[in-house]
């Protein structure tokens, strides 16, 4: 993107998007917001693609696929935010290649953090006998879900993470 497009995106984000959120002016918190926004976009895009494919093959019932994939949002969005904040604090980046690679690696790290969040909740619920499963089964299910989620969604999450990293680093460079 050219710098005028980046400036326009920066203005739009500040006025209408994540730039309005608390402490968005701090680069690390802004990186967390950018990662969380990328997670929302990737999840919804994946759900829309799968729902569209299901509509063509299964009829209108396929539209409900979007509801299923949106159940990941309460785990994926906070995980992406944490990964974005922590990664910026560990390696503040102002170069475009680092932003692209960092966004891609951040997407992968988000899978791990979301699995830990989901696994902890599921294991705690099973330990309290709320699910009918034993804790070992809950942990095993969580890691199976991680593998399945990665295999099914990497093609959308990693490119969107790379794009988010690219855009965010350029927005930071333009605003500084």
């Amino acid at each position: 993107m050219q710098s005028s497009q980046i400036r326009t995106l920066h203005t739009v984000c500040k006025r209408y998007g994540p730039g309005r959120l608390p402490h968005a002016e701090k680069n690390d918190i802004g990186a967390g917001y950018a990662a969380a926004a990328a997670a929302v976009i990737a999840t919804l895009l994946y759900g829309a693609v799968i729902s569209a494919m299901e509509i063509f093959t299964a009829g209108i019932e396929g539209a409900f696929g979007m509801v299923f994939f949106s159940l990941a949002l309460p785990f994926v969005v906070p995980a992406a935010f944490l990964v974005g904040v922590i990664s910026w604090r560990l390696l503040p980046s102002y170069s475009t290649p680092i932003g692209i690679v960092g966004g891609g690696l951040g997407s992968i790290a988000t899978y791990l953090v979301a699995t830990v969040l989901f696994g902890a909740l599921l294991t705690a619920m099973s330990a309290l006998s709320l699910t009918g499963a034993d804790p070992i089964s809950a942990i095993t299910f969580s890691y199976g879900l991680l593998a399945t989620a990665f295999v099914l969604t990497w093609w959308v999450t990693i490119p969107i993470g790379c794009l988010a990293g690219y855009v965010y680093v350029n927005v930071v460079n333009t605003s500084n």
Side-chain angles (χ1 to χ4, degrees), residues 83-84 87 91 93 95-109 161-162 164-166 169:
V83 167
S87 63
L91 182 67
S93 170
S95 71
T96 300
I98 297 294
I100 293 169
V101 172
L105 292 175
S107 295
I108 295 168
C162 291
Y166 168 80
V169 165

Side-chain angles (χ1 to χ4, degrees), residues 25-49:
E25 69 280 355
K26 296 179 181 176
N27 288 344
D28 56 347
I29 303 298
Y33 289 146
V40 169
I41 291 167
T43 302
L44 295 179
L45 179 62
Y46 180 78
V49 167

Side-chain angles (χ1 to χ4, degrees), residues 56-125:
F56 287 122
T57 59
I60 195 67
E61 296 87 24
F64 296 107
M66 182 64 114
V67 174
F68 177 73
F69 296 108
S70 65
L71 295 175
L73 288 174
F75 300 98
V76 173
V77 173
F81 179 81
L82 288 172
V83 167
V85 170
I86 291 169
S87 63
W88 191 275
R89 286 182 181 172
L90 294 176
L91 182 67
S93 170
Y94 295 97
S95 71
T96 300
I98 297 294
I100 293 169
V101 172
L105 292 175
S107 295
I108 295 168
T110 298
Y111 284 104
L112 299 173
V113 174
T115 300
V116 169
L117 294 174
F118 178 76
L121 176 66
L122 192 60
T123 304
M125 289 174 61

Side-chain angles (χ1 to χ4, degrees), residues 1-11 166-167 169-175:
M1 285 188 200
Q2 298 171 349
S3 72
S4 64
Q5 293 168 325
I6 294 290
R7 277 194 282 275
T8 302
L9 181 62
H10 183 253
T11 303
Y166 168 80
V167 169
V169 165
N170 284 301
V171 165
V172 168
N173 286 339
T174 302
S175 64

Side-chain angles (χ1 to χ4, degrees), residues 12-24 33:
V12 168
C13 284
K14 261 186 120 92
R15 196 170 294 160
Y16 304 109
R20 297 178 308 143
L21 295 171
H23 305 291
Y33 289 146

